[in-house]
Amino acid sequence: RSAERLGAVRADLVARHGEDRFPIVVADMGSLASVRAAVRRIEETEPRLDVLVDNAGPIFPERRAGPDGIESTLAVLVVGPFVLVAGLLPLLRRTPGARVIAVTSGGMYTQKLDLDDLESSGDPFSGARAYARAKRAQVALVREWARRLRGTGVTINAMHPGWANTPGLAETLPGFHRLMGPLLQTPAEGADTIV
C-alpha cells in the first residue's frame, strides 16, 4: 500500500542484485478498485508472472467496512486476493510453471467458517476471531482454486510460514507474543519458509 516502503525495498533489491528489474505496483487489498487497477498495471507491463504470494494479513481491533462496504478483514484477506488471482489468471496461465502461494495462519484452526456470517457481524467483534475465520475462508478458496486450475500449469497452495516475531503479532496478540516469544521465528525465517 505504500509507494515509499516499496521504493525502499526496491532500492535494497537493486543494490543487492546490481540490476534494476523490480517494478513497483501499489495496491490496497481492501479496495476492489485498487486491486483491479493493480491487475491492469501488471497486465500492461509484465510479459509473465512466475509467482504470486498472497501475504496480506492485518488484524483490526474494531469491526469496520472497507471502501466497498465489505468488512475489512474479509476484504483484505479473502475478497481482494480472490479478485487479484482471478484478474491475473490469464497472465499466470501464459507463464509455464506459475504458482500462487497463499500465506495462511494456524489461527484458522480456532474458528469454524460460518457461511452465514462471513463479515463477522453476528457476534461482538473480535479482530483475532475475524482474522481466523478469514484465513479459514482463504484456505477453502485455495482448495477450490487448486481444483479448478488442475491441468492448467498453474499451481496454487496455502502454507503456514510458522509463527514469526513481527511487530504486527506483538501489537495485535500481545499475550500470545509474550507466551511464545522465545519460540517465534524471525521475519526472515518466516519469509524463507514461504520461498
Side-chain angles (χ1 to χ4, degrees):
R1 289 177 302 149
S2 165
E4 183 179 326
R5 291 176 67 188
L6 280 172
V9 171
R10 180 180 173 278
D12 184 49
L13 289 169
V14 169
R16 285 181 190 212
H17 298 282
E19 56 184 306
D20 187 1
R21 60 180 178 93
F22 306 100
I24 293 172
V25 178
V26 176
D28 177 350
M29 296 306 291
S31 162
L32 296 179
S34 180
V35 172
R36 288 181 179 122
V39 167
R40 284 191 302 275
R41 168 83 191 260
I42 293 166
E43 286 178 325
E44 291 167 359
T45 61
E46 301 306 314
R48 61 184 295 131
L49 181 57
D50 293 279
V51 180
L52 171 61
V53 178
D54 167 14
N55 192 29
I59 297 177
F60 299 106
E62 296 106 25
R63 187 181 191 287
R64 61 184 188 178
D68 301 293
I70 303 167
E71 188 276 321
S72 292
T73 311
L74 184 70
V76 173
L77 298 181
V78 182
V79 180
F82 179 85
V83 170
L84 183 69
V85 171
L88 292 174
L89 208 46
L91 184 57
L92 289 161
R93 284 186 168 151
R94 288 194 307 267
T95 307
R99 74 180 48 240
V100 177
I101 301 166
V103 180
T104 194
S105 169
M108 74 172 203
Y109 293 113
T110 66
Q111 295 293 312
K112 295 187 301 186
L113 181 56
D114 184 352
L115 295 176
D116 294 323
D117 188 20
L118 290 174
E119 295 195 60
S120 299
S121 59
D123 299 328
F125 186 80
S126 159
R129 186 171 48 240
Y131 176 86
R133 288 177 179 170
K135 286 297 187 178
R136 189 169 281 273
Q138 173 197 45
V139 171
L141 281 175
V142 165
R143 277 194 218 104
E144 183 58 22
W145 274 123
R147 186 186 71 76
R148 290 181 183 204
L149 294 173
R150 191 173 295 125
T152 66
V154 178
T155 302
I156 184 166
N157 290 295
M159 59 80 62
H160 185 327
W163 297 104
N165 189 2
T166 64
L169 180 69
E171 181 181 316
T172 58
L173 298 171
F176 180 82
H177 183 262
R178 276 191 306 278
L179 178 67
M180 298 299 290
L183 303 175
L184 296 173
Q185 301 181 81
T186 67
E189 290 167 333
D192 186 61
T193 306
I194 297 166
V195 172

